[in-house]
Amino acid sequence: MTASSPEQKRPSLGALRRIFAFVAPYRWAVAGAIVALTVAAGAVLGIGQAIRRVIDVGFGENGGTYLDLYFGALFGVVAVLAVATFARFYFVTWLGERVVADIRKTVYNHVLKLSPAFFESTRTGEVLSRLTTDTELIQTLVGSSISVALRNVLLFFGSAVLLIITSPRLTLLVALVIPFVILPIVVLGRRLRKLSRESQDRIADLSAQAGETLNAITTVQAYTYETREGARFAANTESAFQTALRRIRARAWLTALVMLLVFGAVNAVMWIGGKAVFAGEMSAGELSAFVFYAVIGASAVGALSEIWGDVQRAAGAAERLMQLLATEPCVRAPATPLHLPAKPSGRLQFENIRFHYPARPQLPAVDGLSLDVAAGETVAIVGPSGAGKTTLFQLLLRFYDPEAGHIRFDGVDITQLDPVELRRHIGLVAQEPVIFGASVIENIRYGRPDATDEEVQAAAEAAAAHGFIQNLPQGYDTYLGERGVRLSGGQRQRIAIARALLRDPPVLLLDEATSSLDAESERKVQQALEHLMQGRTTLVIAHRLATVQKADRIVVMDQGRIVASGCHESLMAEGGLYARLARLQFMTSSTDATA
């Protein structure tokens, strides 16, 4: 289910409890913050008593001699408040940044382990929104709102005690207002929580749409869709704005109502207290202190109502993050995984495999397929689009597990292996090469992070990539841009091949690795691949005649099944699907290559 699904429950404050698990390792920072905010709250409350002494004694008869002392003491209290506020701000802000950094790392590492099936139903932009927007809301809560809330709770209860001590009668009047303040917080708070979640979902939709469009910017511009995409984004932006506006309106009503009730009560208390001073029932200093504590208490309640809005938004964000962390990968390592030999031979066995993609449960991608690939054998897999060729690669890499049947690597069922160990022995070159926004050397070294510069260069030379790399502005240190936009399609493919060469695995998966190359580059890369395939098990999804003819065996797939197997000549003599594909596709490719 995606983040914006209407079936999701209203966010619960219980989701915040799991966020506090990330706070637990930093108890020393929490303790420091609590001590600091307690001292700060005590200093604020001490100011009220200082004001009382200044008015009643400092300005009274013979009070002039004490005036300097009382104002000096008042300044001392303020100095303590300043130091405590500094400590509170430092500890709390550090804690917020630290916790959010930990959450981002945890969520990102978890997402990296999720199966491709997860991304069939969840857009990448939604995941990015949770990593950025939602974690920022958590940072605001942990790094600011919670400490401010605790400080205001201390101020509220501290001022309440001092109000009672100063004037029980006036305190009773203040207490009568409290239920009228709490009621709108509860009622409007529920609506604010719902609107906060909706607002976050709309932002996630925006991020997903923008990411999808920008990743396909050349297609958008080629089809002159800029205006339409802009209009669609603008419409979704307006929808997000309207949702945010409803949230802002609810929060504004909550804040305004609380402030009206609280400070209206303070006004009434000052009016009644003023009459008590003139009647001689209390001193001016006591009234001043009482009003000070009443303002402090009222401000604390008002601040808590503001913070409640942050809590509601953070609860929605926390629930979205926890939903992501609660998502389990479809493919997991067994509790006690088996291990492959130190030097696997690379024998592969597909035994009566059956598999449906989660997004297409009604259509089998692989249906009762069996295939035995000997160690060191090169098998070309051909067939029309949708025949299940790429699915075999994904099943072998354990991106998915088959619903029936077994896949064995050197006789070991791959479901009994840790996927990380399995994939470490497999090299993949996809038809659409993946180039990261990094330097040339970093992209090639992705195949084996501990490779030396000399080994990287050797792999590039074997992939016929060294020549064009040398001509780049900074050679192997040249930044290639996002998705390798600075390279041609053929150059990107050769970088990907060099990466696979560097990995030096016992099993190679080539999804027509030379499809993007010109004739000269293809010849060079084909020679490098032929050298690399010697003594290795290689599965090749083939679209070109040259690739097919050099394979040890050709397997023809259609609708998830193997319909024929043999060499090129025997399959052509049969006159079936392979012969038709050869005439329509392979021969055409061969003609184009020699034109």
Side-chain angles (χ1 to χ4, degrees):
M1 185 180 296
T2 62
S4 56
S5 172
E7 299 178 9
Q8 287 176 328
K9 300 182 296 182
R10 186 177 64 187
S12 168
L13 295 180
L16 292 175
R17 295 193 190 101
R18 292 192 62 187
I19 295 297
F20 293 127
F22 291 90
V23 180
Y26 308 107
R27 293 184 179 90
W28 61 270
V30 174
I34 290 175
V35 169
L37 70 87
T38 302
V39 172
V44 170
L45 296 174
I47 291 175
Q49 291 302 308
I51 291 175
R52 176 182 176 182
R53 297 294 295 175
V54 166
I55 293 176
D56 283 348
V57 181
F59 291 107
E61 292 183 6
N62 300 321
T65 55
Y66 298 100
L67 191 61
D68 294 342
L69 176 62
Y70 288 135
F71 271 106
L74 180 59
F75 179 79
V77 173
V78 172
V80 171
L81 174 61
V83 173
T85 300
F86 169 84
R88 177 185 65 86
F89 180 83
Y90 177 83
F91 281 121
V92 169
T93 305
W94 182 93
L95 184 64
E97 295 289 349
R98 180 67 268 168
V99 166
V100 165
D102 290 347
I103 291 174
R104 283 176 175 156
K105 290 190 294 185
T106 301
V107 172
Y108 187 72
N109 289 335
H110 181 75
V111 169
L112 289 178
K113 297 175 184 176
L114 294 179
S115 308
F118 170 79
F119 295 97
E120 289 183 17
S121 58
T122 305
R123 292 181 293 182
T124 305
E126 294 181 7
V127 177
L128 295 177
S129 175
R130 299 187 191 197
L131 281 170
T132 54
T133 304
D134 288 353
T135 51
E136 286 175 2
L137 294 175
I138 299 298
Q139 194 279 332
T140 298
L141 180 70
V142 177
S144 175
S145 299
I146 289 180
S147 73
V148 173
L150 291 175
R151 176 175 176 272
N152 281 286
V153 167
L154 290 175
L155 288 176
F156 173 76
F157 285 106
S159 60
V161 170
L162 291 171
L163 284 173
I164 294 173
I165 294 173
T166 304
S167 176
R169 184 168 67 91
L170 292 179
T171 303
L172 179 62
L173 294 175
V174 174
L176 293 175
V177 181
I178 292 178
F180 296 99
V181 175
I182 294 177
L183 184 62
I185 293 178
V186 173
V187 175
L188 291 178
R190 290 175 180 173
R191 174 168 173 76
L192 185 59
R193 185 192 311 171
K194 179 181 178 182
L195 291 173
S196 296
R197 177 57 185 266
E198 290 180 7
S199 180
Q200 290 157 224
D201 287 343
R202 297 293 78 75
I203 294 298
D205 292 341
L206 279 177
S207 179
Q209 182 197 339
E212 184 179 53
T213 302
L214 293 177
N215 283 334
I217 189 63
T218 54
T219 302
V220 172
Q221 293 177 351
Y223 283 87
T224 64
Y225 235 74
E226 299 94 331
T227 302
R228 292 189 181 185
E229 287 293 344
R232 190 161 70 97
F233 186 81
N236 289 338
T237 301
E238 284 301 315
S239 175
F241 170 73
Q242 292 301 325
T243 303
L245 192 61
R246 290 196 296 273
R247 172 181 58 80
I248 293 169
R249 189 180 296 117
R251 185 166 181 174
W253 272 111
L254 176 63
T255 303
L257 190 57
V258 169
M259 297 296 284
L260 175 64
L261 292 171
V262 169
F263 287 100
V266 171
N267 183 67
V269 167
M270 290 181 65
W271 176 62
I272 296 172
K275 289 184 172 294
V277 170
F278 281 108
E281 297 173 358
M282 63 188 308
S283 69
E286 289 175 332
L287 176 60
S288 299
F290 188 92
V291 171
F292 177 81
Y293 293 132
V295 171
I296 292 297
S299 299
V301 174
L304 289 173
S305 69
E306 282 276 346
I307 293 167
W308 187 246
D310 293 336
V311 172
Q312 299 294 334
R313 298 185 69 193
E319 188 170 60
R320 285 159 52 90
L321 289 168
M322 293 307 108
Q323 285 174 349
L324 199 55
L325 286 175
T327 303
E328 294 291 342
C330 299
V331 174
R332 296 184 234 176
T336 55
L338 300 179
H339 298 283
L340 290 171
K343 293 184 178 181
S345 66
R347 184 188 178 190
L348 303 175
Q349 296 166 283
F350 298 83
E351 302 173 354
N352 198 27
I353 302 300
R354 182 176 177 82
F355 173 73
H356 295 73
Y357 281 105
R360 305 188 297 275
Q362 73 285 352
L363 182 66
V366 177
D367 190 5
L369 180 143
S370 294
L371 175 65
D372 195 335
V373 183
E377 184 181 12
T378 298
V379 176
I381 305 173
V382 302
S385 177
K389 305 184 295 296
T390 301
T391 302
L392 281 187
F393 283 16
Q394 294 183 325
L395 291 173
L396 180 57
L397 286 162
R398 279 204 78 193
F399 292 157
Y400 302 91
D401 280 336
E403 299 152 13
H406 302 277
I407 301 175
R408 302 187 190 279
F409 190 119
D410 278 11
V412 181
D413 191 326
I414 64 172
T415 60
Q416 299 303 311
L417 296 171
D418 186 328
V420 174
E421 180 182 356
L422 169 68
R423 295 163 189 165
R424 192 176 291 125
H425 297 293
I426 299 175
L428 171 66
V429 180
Q431 187 172 8
E432 294 295 330
V434 174
I435 302 297
F436 298 96
S439 67
V440 174
I441 195 168
E442 289 173 313
N443 267 281
I444 297 177
R445 193 175 273 141
Y446 206 83
R448 184 157 56 90
D450 60 348
T452 64
D453 292 353
E454 291 74 19
E455 289 173 323
V456 170
Q457 182 173 330
E461 290 174 348
H466 180 67
F468 81 79
I469 292 173
Q470 282 187 314
N471 293 327
L472 294 175
Q474 286 84 40
Y476 281 86
D477 293 323
T478 301
Y479 176 72
L480 298 181
E482 186 177 5
R483 296 186 298 160
V485 294
R486 296 184 176 183
L487 300 178
S488 68
Q491 290 172 333
R492 289 197 295 270
Q493 189 66 284
R494 279 179 275 174
I495 294 291
I497 293 171
R499 183 188 299 156
L501 285 162
L502 186 64
R503 193 174 187 86
D504 194 24
V507 173
L508 285 174
L509 304 181
L510 306 177
D511 189 352
E512 191 50 87
T514 61
S515 62
S516 298
L517 305 181
D518 56 51
E520 179 64 21
S521 296
E522 179 182 2
R523 182 183 63 81
K524 294 179 180 179
V525 171
Q526 195 67 46
Q527 291 173 349
L529 289 176
E530 288 172 9
H531 174 72
L532 174 66
M533 284 187 266
Q534 292 179 3
R536 305 176 194 278
T537 305
T538 307
L539 297 183
V540 185
I541 295 177
H543 298 292
R544 294 197 178 191
L545 182 62
T547 305
V548 172
Q549 288 180 322
K550 293 178 181 179
D552 297 322
R553 182 165 37 130
I554 302 168
V555 170
V556 186
M557 291 188 64
D558 189 26
Q559 296 182 359
R561 299 181 179 184
I562 294 177
V563 296
S565 178
C567 66
H568 173 70
E569 289 76 14
S570 64
L571 291 173
M572 288 296 292
E574 289 180 10
L577 175 60
Y578 178 82
R580 187 170 74 252
L581 289 173
R583 286 192 296 270
L584 295 177
Q585 185 173 0
F586 300 146
M587 296 303 186
T588 301
S589 298
S590 179
T591 301
D592 291 342
T594 58

